[in-house]
Amino acid sequence: MQMQKDKRFSSQNICKALMAARLISREQAQDLLKKENRVRTILLKQKTRGEEASLSREQQADLISFIDVILYLKPERDNEPGKIIDEDLIYSTLAESWKVPYRKIDPLKLELNLVTGTISKSFAAKHLLLPLMIEEGKLIVATPDPFNYEIIKDVEMVSKLKVKIVLSSKTDIEKLISEFFGFRHSIAAAEDLFSSKGIDIGNLEQFVSLKSSDDFPSTDQHIVNAVNHLFSYSFDQQASDIHIEPKRDVCLVRMRIDGVLHTVYKLPKKLHNAVVSRIKSLSRLDMAEKRRPQDGRIKMEKDDKEVEIRVSTIPVAFGEKVVLRIMDPDILFQDLEHLGFFEEDFERYKKLITMPFGIVLVTGPTGSGKSTTLYSSLRMLSSPEVNITTIEDPIEMIHEEFNQIAVQAAVNVTFGSVLRNILRQDPDIIMVGEIRDLETAQAAVQAALTGHLVLSTLHTNDAVTTIFRLLDLGIPPYLIQSSLNGVVAQRLVRKICPYCAQDFEMDTRELADLGLGIDPRGVVNLKHGKGCSKCRNTGYKGRTGIYEIMPYSESLKLLTANGSGLDKLRKKAVEEGLVLLRENGIRKMLNGQTTYQEILRVTWD
């Protein structure tokens, strides 16, 4: 690569560009230039493992740039003290100075075949070039060196397209070249090895127990590498789920990020069975069984932490679909204060879960964060003096401080049967994964009445509806009154990206028409995300909870005993301070944490 050959990449010119953008002061620039040679020597030794003497000065300059020196020294921003100058900021500033478009690469928007099929890996790695996409008949190529004109001409000749250069960070391009070309190599090699023609029976005919000559062994090294890449890629993107879906001609790989599914890869259909078999092998599932749904789990390491991956397979029209739920301990075990509770909500919830006995129910649809709330609550309650026992189907995350029991219906180990037995295990706190039937509900009530704190989940739309769900299950009103402490209903909303958040004004009448009534009337200041490289141009980054916390008070118990309807109970609960989900969301919207579109998406009037 020729990064150091263009004068615009000289240490002095880079310092001038950063000073013009008020990222560094003159004193900081002088300090960086003073320390440059010493830092280069350190970085060269790290990169060449002591063999830097055998390299020419030009080769050394290619290996270590002045930008690498800045990143090593981590100077604070002159215009925002306390914030460190990062690589993306340096390159975006240089792009502005050089009048070159800057692009933060979103891996989810790259097409594998275009990235890896335009130029070779060796050429891409040597010159740090990454084809991104074709726009208006031009090939968009990212590079940290936009002035390498001869190489750009070579790419135009090979691709037979006019090339438009965009500037991107060196680290991003090196990482993506390694990942995409490595993954492509594994896929291509697997295709070549098993290219013999055979009948594809991975669709509706899968119920016939025949083996196709296109079924690859799951132990093939290329398949192993491809599956490993899928896992590491999902960790990098902070995905919560991976979907591997067989279609008629391709195998789709989709990832759920911040609650939204993104198509990541389209793999050749002939590789689908091998990828599924590899995942089954890792999760100790029966590889020969393709007619019935199966559940398993994989334990992996991510950043020196154990990550549990829950595996579910099910037969669909064109083969077996696999969904992998990534149970990240950093997500499941959080400080309760950081889940999104407002201060008064947090105090109400903490009061519910610190009662010595009774039932606390967390409700909401799948993917609303119930498991995170329960696990985080248990972690807060856990201590050497307390015996915590959980019954789960399946165990979502192993935690040494809890005694965790997995439901096994095949041997009659159900929520209800285990609940009756664990009362002899001297528990203080019991967590039941889900109350699904009368047997489980009755056992949970009995556990609460005999002096235990029971935490569990239930699928209802809001807090008040939970009372009627328990009645529908067959629990008598007097048992609900004597055992239930309270109910928490919750949803997850996407947070506005802090890097591209913008203020705007909206008339409260418009919000009222949408079902978001706000007093007083007039104009309110709201925020939304414009869309940037940090949030993949979605305007959202991360998620937070909105909550409806309802202590089961004496007046609510009385109304239940009198057979009052849903509306009466809800009205009374609101009088006693219940903040409904939509109102809780509106408050977060007014605080600039989320948008009205998100509130409308996850709540209803």
Side-chain angles (χ1 to χ4, degrees), residues 330-345:
D330 291 337
I331 302 296
L332 275 178
F333 297 104
Q334 298 186 48
D335 291 333
L336 275 177
E337 297 95 326
H338 298 152
L339 293 183
F341 289 105
F342 287 113
E343 189 175 343
E344 59 273 24
D345 289 337

Side-chain angles (χ1 to χ4, degrees), residues 257-397:
I257 301 166
D258 285 344
V260 178
L261 275 172
H262 300 264
T263 299
V264 179
Y265 296 123
K266 291 180 181 178
L267 305 182
K269 178 66 184 293
K270 64 173 72 173
L271 298 183
H272 177 75
N273 286 343
V275 170
V276 172
S277 295
R278 173 60 182 165
I279 292 167
K280 282 185 172 182
S281 172
L282 290 171
S283 52
R284 298 180 181 178
L285 298 179
D286 183 353
M287 286 191 278
E289 179 56 79
K290 299 184 180 184
R291 299 166 300 171
R292 295 189 183 94
Q294 295 188 72
D295 293 305
R297 62 194 313 117
I298 304 170
K299 185 173 282 190
M300 301 196 109
E301 190 175 69
K302 171 202 167 192
D303 301 329
D304 298 324
K305 290 181 182 175
E306 287 185 351
V307 176
E308 296 271 348
I309 298 173
R310 216 166 70 195
V311 181
S312 170
T313 71
I314 195 163
V316 293
F318 297 107
E320 278 186 288
K321 176 176 176 178
V322 181
V323 175
L324 302 106
R325 167 66 61 90
I326 300 167
M327 316 303 293
D328 189 336
D330 291 337
I331 302 296
L332 275 178
F333 297 104
Q334 298 186 48
D335 291 333
L336 275 177
E337 297 95 326
H338 298 152
L339 293 183
F341 289 105
F342 287 113
E343 189 175 343
E344 59 273 24
D345 289 337
F346 179 65
E347 291 304 320
R348 286 178 120 191
Y349 181 63
K350 197 161 71 168
K351 188 175 179 182
L352 291 179
I353 62 171
T354 51
M355 289 182 176
F357 56 86
I359 300 175
V360 178
L361 294 173
V362 180
T363 76
T366 303
S368 59
K370 299 188 299 294
S371 296
T372 297
T373 299
L374 285 179
Y375 272 123
S376 300
S377 302
L378 291 178
R379 194 177 76 161
M380 190 193 88
L381 296 170
S382 68
S383 71
E385 296 82 31
V386 174
N387 176 15
I388 296 177
T389 303
T390 75
I391 312 163
E392 304 172 62
D393 181 22
I395 296 171
E396 297 201 17
M397 175 63 67

Side-chain angles (χ1 to χ4, degrees), residues 12 30 72-73 81 153-154 168 170 198 203 221 352 380 389 408 411 454 470 492 497 513 547 587:
Q12 290 80 5
Q30 290 170 349
Y72 179 85
L73 291 171
K153 284 181 182 177
D154 291 342
S168 295
K170 181 181 173 185
N203 51 30
Q221 190 58 46
L352 291 179
M380 190 193 88
T389 303
Q408 299 177 68
V411 289
V454 179
L470 291 172
L492 289 177
C497 172
D513 290 341
Y547 300 92
R587 187 172 167 190

